[in-house]
Amino acid sequence: MQALPAGKIDTPRLTAQGDVRDMKMAEISGRIGAWAKGRIGAWAKGQEINATTRPDGLPSTFAENLPSWQSIHLAEAQNLAPHLGQGVVVAVIDTGIDPAHPMLQGHLSAPGSWYDFANGDTNPTEVPTLSNGAYGHGTAVASVILQVAPNATILPIRALDSDGYGSSINIAKAVTWAILQGAKVINISAVSNVDTTLTTVLNLAATKGVYVTLAAGNEAVDKMPYPAINASKSGDFGLRAINVGAVGGDSKMASFSNYGRDLEITAPGVDLVAAVPGGYAVASGTSFSAPVLAGTLALALGERQNLLFMGKLANQIDLMGTDISKLNPAYKADTLGNGLLNAQAFLKSVQ
């Protein structure tokens, strides 16, 4: 998502990241085109959850995703978090969701808590357009969260259209709505130009005790976009927000992922199988790394935490990353953040 600065309310739009004029979803400039236009069909027919990382063995993910989950020690983390995120509301501010998708059934908040700021109504269902450049994105993000934290509750908030665009003011409204609806984690898989209104609202979320996960963007540059860059700063928002780049199941940086000294951590975001309206698809982008972090935070929030880490989980998840510099010799070590998410080490450290 990319948003214009606050004050230009008539022109700014949020979009899948890539266009410097607008707010954009973080993977549009990466590989969503191949996902949305070429690969849904292969998965939409008959593909179902066929693997698990859960201690009880119930299906919760896809066999194709297991290398990525193994790289972050997800099964071990879920074993440390037996509630699997139960009772934790995670807001997905995105293109909307498919409320009828079987992967989301029983995992959505009460309909009275939903909202669509793109259309100004209470139905956040994804709406097709002629191009559908980002149709299914929000559904995919929600399904990634649930693969990590299977018992979490998704609060769907639509702020972008199916081309991945929307106004920065609507994102700010969506964040405020998420706070009021009791979200404990907010996932924003989008980037924008600096927007003072959105900054103010995100800081408010932090003071209210809400964690925020932010995509690093897909321009393959040594620079963090806004609002991801704010997560690396000091203060309440720095403690409760985290930005994330994308790696593959082999822990190598994705060719499209942004990096740099302001990157905090990386997580799987290459060829993840995820739900989309009417079926399943293969998704790539930092847009899908962010919900991996959101789900991991939900796992921790669903359990009793050591008082020393109350309000500091985002900072701690960053500190417990696994060094991946040797696997990525083309990158300077200080541009890879604190390495790769280690969900097991993080859960163990905060309990």
Side-chain angles (χ1 to χ4, degrees), residues 47-51 61-66 103 147 273-274 280:
Q47 180 68 19
E48 297 178 357
I49 296 173
N50 58 7
T61 189
F62 307 86
E64 292 82 354
N65 292 349
L66 290 179
M103 197 168 180
Q147 290 180 61
V273 180
Y280 303 88

Side-chain angles (χ1 to χ4, degrees), residues 69-90:
W69 302 148
Q70 289 164 358
S71 74
I72 64 171
H73 304 285
L74 178 57
E76 295 87 347
Q78 290 176 342
N79 191 55
L80 291 168
H83 292 99
L84 300 176
Q86 186 173 1
V88 180
V89 176
V90 182

